[in-house]
Amino acid sequence: AAGDGEQKEGGEGGGSAAALEQPLDFGELMAQKLADYFEGSRAWAFDAFDAWLADAAASGMFWLQGGAGSGKTAWTSKLVQRCGGTVAAMHFCRHADAQTADPRRMLHSLAAQLERSVAGFARGAAAGGETLEELFEVLLRAPLAAAPAPADGQRRVIVLDALDECESGGKNALLDLIARRFGKAGALPG
């Protein structure tokens, strides 16, 4: 049974099965944000990210926080552009876009991107009826655990932007999932 009022797979916003197989395209949003990016700004954030990425003993999550309009999405767009193959998958939540604000659609999109960027990654089949937690397990956690480490030994990252914009009905199932799963040691393979 779904916990905390979370919707089951196949509910509103899930999209057709064929659509779920495809990653969402953030190219237009990134181009817009990169046009607004002031080159050389936020060097401290890039330095912090680079230090985190290089530290094998660091937490599995790098979290950048800032107020509304502070340029986090522009920074994130620049990070994705700058890091190339280090970014295995990305998602930009937008409160005004039902697909990008839907946590289930996000998990499917991330899995589709990981299939393209991570050797040996094969997402599990979602049967329908899964809670968000179960869907995370089937689409991301288990397939990542089964995939071999990158041949070059470098860490890969999944970039998530504007998680606060994925709220629905006064709840943020995505933030709740991240708190539950990424707060646990070994939630995702390193």
Side-chain angles (χ1 to χ4, degrees):
D4 299 319
E6 65 181 49
Q7 207 171 45
K8 294 264 197 171
E9 177 65 7
E12 183 179 327
S16 72
L20 289 176
E21 296 297 317
Q22 300 301 315
L24 293 169
D25 180 6
F26 297 102
E28 187 176 321
L29 172 67
M30 288 181 56
Q32 174 191 8
K33 294 299 180 177
L34 286 168
D36 295 338
Y37 179 78
F38 181 72
E39 199 61 47
S41 65
R42 296 173 190 81
W44 61 269
F46 288 114
D47 292 344
F49 177 83
D50 292 341
W52 169 80
L53 189 61
D55 184 357
S59 161
M61 182 170 31
F62 179 86
W63 192 289
L64 179 70
Q65 292 177 282
S70 63
K72 297 177 304 296
T73 300
W75 181 85
T76 302
S77 298
K78 186 66 175 179
L79 177 76
V80 169
Q81 180 188 59
R82 175 181 176 261
C83 290
T86 299
V87 176
M90 65 182 148
H91 188 84
F92 293 80
C93 300
R94 306 288 354 101
H95 70 277
D97 181 343
Q99 282 208 62
T100 67
D102 177 12
R104 284 167 177 70
R105 182 64 182 103
M106 181 204 75
L107 293 175
H108 281 281
S109 179
L110 291 172
Q113 292 174 64
L114 291 168
E115 280 184 319
R116 296 175 181 186
S117 65
V118 175
F121 179 93
R123 74 175 125 173
E130 291 94 346
T131 65
L132 189 60
E133 190 96 18
E134 292 164 340
L135 195 60
F136 172 83
E137 176 69 23
V138 168
L139 293 179
L140 297 180
R141 206 226 44 89
L144 281 170
D152 63 6
Q154 297 298 310
R155 291 170 75 181
R156 300 295 187 270
V157 299
I158 297 172
V159 175
L160 305 175
D161 181 70
L163 293 175
D164 59 320
E165 295 190 29
C166 291
E167 187 174 294
S168 176
K171 292 190 175 194
N172 193 318
L174 185 56
L175 278 177
D176 291 344
L177 173 70
I178 289 170
R180 284 191 309 270
R181 295 308 300 246
F182 290 89
K184 297 177 185 175
L188 287 176

